[in-house]
Amino acid sequence: MTSPAASVESMEQLATVWRHMVLDRNGDADVRDLPGIAVRWADCRFAFWNCVTLTDVGADADLLERRLAEAADIMRAKKHPGFLWVFEDLVDAEARADVTAAAERAGLSYAFPGTGMAGDMLPVPEPTHPDLTFVRVSTDEQLRAYADLNSRAYGFPLEDGRDGLAGSTLWKREVHAYLGLRDGVPVTCAGAVEADGRLFVVLVATDPEWERRGYGEAVTRKALHEGGRATGLTRATLHATVAGAPVYPRIGFEPNSPLHFYGLR
């Protein structure tokens, strides 16, 4: 078990960043802060923008059971599917072992694990990679390429990713979003956005055909370098998938907050 403070930071970063992302996608998005639950639901086809997370600190088994049932009810009322995020260390020790079983009783099924990470590593040097050139996302065409890379990396239909990002002014102006180009073709991407005094890394993806070449690390370093230079921030946070978890400690991130994703069964 790590300190609950790390999980609180990770959960609050999610709630802050996702509020901006889902309202950017849908001005009528559901961004309620309920007792023990933060709803950040754009109700679009891009499942990552449809999010509910538990916010109680030290929830016992009874409270956890209640919150999971409430979260599942919220998710059932939506048009498009999404995920419940559960930060493991926000649940008390006894209840933690029963999270998945309790989620199943609420009508949820386990989707995949993740890890919250943070570090005081900024500024980072400007990166180079022999295969890549970097370009900041500033046009609709580049943003569509960014969306398509995420769709391919996470196994979504291309239209789902485009529904999450296409036409966004936020992503072209406020997110330090970068494409890594190999011979002029986008093969990897990463973004960083300011959130409550931290730089939050978001939607890192590499085309599956070009994995294990250091592309994701290089473009993440680029987003952090440029975002840090623009903001002067020194601390960065992110939520890593299993694929990304080995990469980010090389940059300076420390794993500190196990998390789990659930969808409606």
Side-chain angles (χ1 to χ4, degrees), residues 24 33 35 49 56-57 90 101 115 117 124 129 143 151 180 203 235:
D24 171 67
D33 290 302
W49 289 166
D56 293 302
V57 179
L90 296 185
T115 307
M117 298 189 183
V124 299
H129 192 290
L143 188 56
S151 293
L203 295 189
R235 185 166 179 81

Side-chain angles (χ1 to χ4, degrees), residues 127-192:
T128 60
H129 192 290
D131 296 348
L132 300 177
T133 56
F134 301 109
V135 60
R136 184 169 182 179
V137 171
S138 61
T139 69
D140 287 336
E141 181 181 7
Q142 290 165 342
L143 188 56
R144 187 167 55 251
Y146 197 110
D148 289 354
L149 283 168
N150 274 269
S151 293
R152 287 195 287 271
Y154 294 108
F156 296 152
L158 293 183
E159 287 306 316
D160 289 11
R162 293 175 183 179
D163 195 40
L165 292 177
S168 170
T169 299
L170 175 75
W171 273 81
K172 288 180 288 186
R173 294 185 181 176
E174 296 184 35
V175 180
H176 301 275
Y178 282 84
L179 295 169
L181 310 182
R182 179 187 169 107
D183 298 328
V185 178
V187 295
T188 190
C189 63

Side-chain angles (χ1 to χ4, degrees), residues 60-70 98 101-102 105-106:
D60 62 17
D62 290 341
L63 181 57
L64 175 66
E65 195 97 23
R66 188 160 72 250
R67 295 295 190 230
L68 290 169
E70 292 167 349
D98 192 45
R105 291 192 292 272

